[in-house]
Amino acid sequence: MSFVLGLKCRECGREYPTEPLHVCEFCFGPLEVRYDYDGIKRVLTRSLIESRPANMWRYRELIPIDGDPVIGLHNGFTPLVRAENLGRELGLNNLYIKNDSVCHPTLSFKDRVVAAAVNKAREFGYDTIACASTGNLANSVAAHAASAGMKSYVFIPSDLELSKVLGTSIYESKIIGINGSYDDVNRFCSEIATVFDWAFVNINIRPFYGDGSKTFGYEIAEQLGWKAPDNVIVPVAGSSLITKIIKAFKEFESLGLIENVNTKIFAAQATGCSPVTTAIKAGKDDFIPVKPDTIAKSIAIGNPADGYYGIRVVKESGGWAEDVTDQEVIDGIRLLARTEGIFTETAGGVSVGVTKKLAEQGRFGKDEVTVLSITGQGLKTSEAVEDHLPNPVIIEPKLSVFKEIQSSL
Ligand SMILES: *Cc1c(COP(=O)(O)O)cnc(C)c1O
Ligand SMILES: [Zn+2]
């Protein structure tokens, strides 16, 4: 049973059938999935959701596929962690971490969007999946293609972290490094997509991909006991996730699953690639594209596809934005590890660093429910911290030797 009615242009409202389309041919606005919300409201209740297995498909009426999912069946429903130690350091009494650094199967929130996109691509009849990626999407596309028995081509900037490359090639995906930034890769892929009949998850089937992100928001609301938080801090790359979290809360509200959504959305970027946060801080409606230069490579998109809408959701929600230097990214990764025992990648370091900065600016009420989005795994970007940590002390297995050095550890 599907509740998808078709696609609709976000700008002019023109309607399109459920096809692999992503831009309006009249005004070039992005297309979004249209749902039969009245139909969903009649069937989807809190208790039905709670009766289902702990994965993203418990919200399946709100994920845009027609049949039953066949790929990525275990993705999502990651922990929402009460962060008392970090909260104490930041002066926040109700701080939570939504921890997608342990999302199944490739340890980033991209497993949500890819699960939605690959199932839809199969329904459309594609046998090949492709993407332009800053690393995590590549990992997830390659893994899901392998488990679906589909071919995959992933295009990445040639200078990505070793683990992001290895975490793609292990699945025997065709992996192509491009000399250039992600924005060059993306432009090139748009060209390839017009010639090859492949499902580019973040190009021609982007509307379906994007709605996989909503599950990050649904889970936060359910895990807070069916309540929207007061504040959410979100790391921003192409600006898909940041627009979908608030959409998730609003959908739950209109379906009667939660009440009183007044969530403020806060955007987090690295100073070396901050088109969205710079625009918000300057009070502008749109961003100026930049050339990325930061260790936070997974979110280094200088010309974000949904940047305009990302800026808008932050403004309309009454939130704000900040960016942090590479040193603050490293400090953020270490702060989260030291206080909460969670090892996140550079994008998570951005989230933590920005949350600290915003807390110092007094942007959050002390007792408000604040959710920090951790979207990726630290072991994938070990380069960022390896030179900042002490090496193990190497000794012979002798008690006397250990006793000698123990007090200086
Ligand atoms: C892709 C990504 C994001 C943000 O993605 P959007 O393009 O803004 O939806 C955030 N964190 C990590 C780790 C990512 O890989
Ligand atoms: Zn249009």
Side-chain angles (χ1 to χ4, degrees):
M1 179 70 188
S2 171
F3 294 94
V4 174
L5 298 176
L7 300 173
K8 184 179 176 179
C9 174
R10 192 159 175 163
E11 287 302 318
C12 74
R14 196 176 293 265
E15 292 178 7
Y16 290 84
T18 309
E19 281 172 13
L21 301 168
H22 69 298
V23 281
C24 175
E25 46 188 78
F26 291 89
C27 76
F28 301 107
L31 302 185
E32 285 189 314
V33 180
R34 275 194 316 131
Y35 295 88
D36 169 15
Y37 287 114
D38 292 336
I40 295 174
K41 195 169 183 173
R42 279 194 290 275
V43 298
L44 195 62
T45 60
R46 288 182 186 178
S47 54
L48 177 62
I49 293 169
E50 285 165 349
S51 73
R52 292 173 171 170
N55 61 62
M56 64 183 266
W57 300 104
R58 63 208 266 118
Y59 314 105
R60 55 149 310 162
E61 288 81 357
L62 293 157
I63 303 172
I65 65 172
D66 289 336
D68 287 327
V70 289
I71 305 299
L73 300 181
H74 304 280
N75 301 14
F77 220 76
T78 56
L80 183 74
V81 179
R82 182 77 194 261
E84 286 187 7
N85 300 334
L86 180 59
R88 204 173 303 117
E89 295 229 359
L90 303 184
L92 301 174
N93 296 331
N94 280 306
L95 180 66
Y96 292 82
I97 289 163
K98 180 59 175 166
N99 187 10
D100 265 19
S101 76
V102 292
C103 197
H104 181 82
T106 68
L107 310 177
S108 87
F109 106 91
K110 293 299 197 303
D111 290 324
R112 302 171 182 277
V113 288
V114 171
V118 173
N119 280 291
K120 192 65 218 172
R122 277 176 61 103
E123 290 183 353
F124 281 138
Y126 286 105
D127 63 5
T128 304
I129 306 289
C131 69
S133 172
T134 55
N136 283 316
L137 186 61
N139 296 167
S140 191
V141 162
H144 286 83
S147 84
M150 298 169 87
K151 291 185 286 265
S152 64
Y153 290 82
V154 315
F155 297 82
I156 54 172
S158 59
D159 68 345
L160 286 192
E161 300 91 345
L162 177 63
S163 297
K164 294 259 170 85
V165 178
L166 219 143
T168 303
S169 50
I170 190 69
Y171 304 110
E172 301 187 7
S173 177
K174 311 272 187 249
I175 176 167
I176 299 99
I178 304 291
N179 289 317
S181 70
Y182 171 82
D183 301 289
D184 299 315
V185 177
N186 193 41
R187 209 173 310 116
F188 181 50
C189 285
S190 297
E191 203 180 324
I192 296 174
T194 64
V195 178
F196 290 84
D197 191 23
W198 297 342
F200 269 92
V201 299
N202 52 345
I203 302 178
N204 53 343
I205 53 174
R206 189 172 177 88
F208 307 92
Y209 156 99
D211 271 9
S213 293
K214 294 189 302 181
T215 60
F216 191 87
Y218 300 145
E219 290 173 18
I220 291 172
E222 182 183 347
Q223 290 168 319
L224 285 172
W226 300 103
K227 271 201 326 248
D230 297 304
N231 310 298
V232 183
I233 301 93
V234 191
V236 170
S239 282
S240 178
L241 177 62
I242 195 167
T243 61
K244 299 298 180 176
I245 292 176
I246 192 73
K247 185 174 184 193
F249 298 153
K250 292 272 166 70
E251 283 181 339
F252 263 17
E253 186 180 38
S254 74
L255 293 169
L257 296 169
I258 59 174
E259 288 168 4
N260 303 326
V261 175
N262 293 306
T263 309
K264 293 181 182 164
I265 304 288
F266 295 85
Q269 292 199 300
T271 306
C273 184
S274 54
V276 170
T277 57
T278 300
I280 293 166
K281 285 159 70 181
K284 299 268 164 51
D285 291 334
D286 210 350
F287 64 89
I288 299 166
V290 301
K291 201 169 177 306
D293 179 16
T294 170
I295 59 167
K297 296 181 186 188
S298 58
I299 54 170
I301 297 185
N303 189 10
D306 294 313
Y308 171 77
Y309 299 103
I311 294 164
R312 215 158 88 180
V313 299
V314 169
K315 282 194 174 168
E316 286 174 0
S317 75
W320 192 241
E322 264 305 346
D323 48 81
V324 286
T325 64
D326 284 355
Q327 183 57 51
E328 288 171 313
V329 173
I330 294 163
D331 295 344
I333 294 173
R334 298 188 63 183
L335 175 61
L336 184 65
R338 173 167 61 74
T339 55
E340 297 298 333
I342 293 172
F343 184 17
T344 186
E345 69 147 80
T346 46
V350 169
S351 292
V352 175
V354 164
T355 301
K356 180 165 185 280
K357 217 161 168 174
L358 293 169
E360 285 163 3
Q361 294 171 4
R363 305 260 175 204
F364 314 124
K366 209 156 96 46
D367 295 321
E368 287 177 352
V369 174
T370 298
V371 176
L372 201 173
S373 306
I374 292 297
T375 47
Q377 167 57 240
L379 290 169
K380 291 195 197 184
T381 63
S382 51
E383 290 93 336
V385 288
E386 65 189 0
D387 295 335
H388 299 264
L389 304 175
N391 289 317
V393 180
I394 312 286
I395 60 167
E396 296 306 316
K398 289 205 180 83
L399 191 56
S400 58
V401 180
F402 180 67
K403 276 181 171 166
E404 245 168 66
I405 62 127
Q406 189 261 334
S407 62
S408 67
L409 285 177

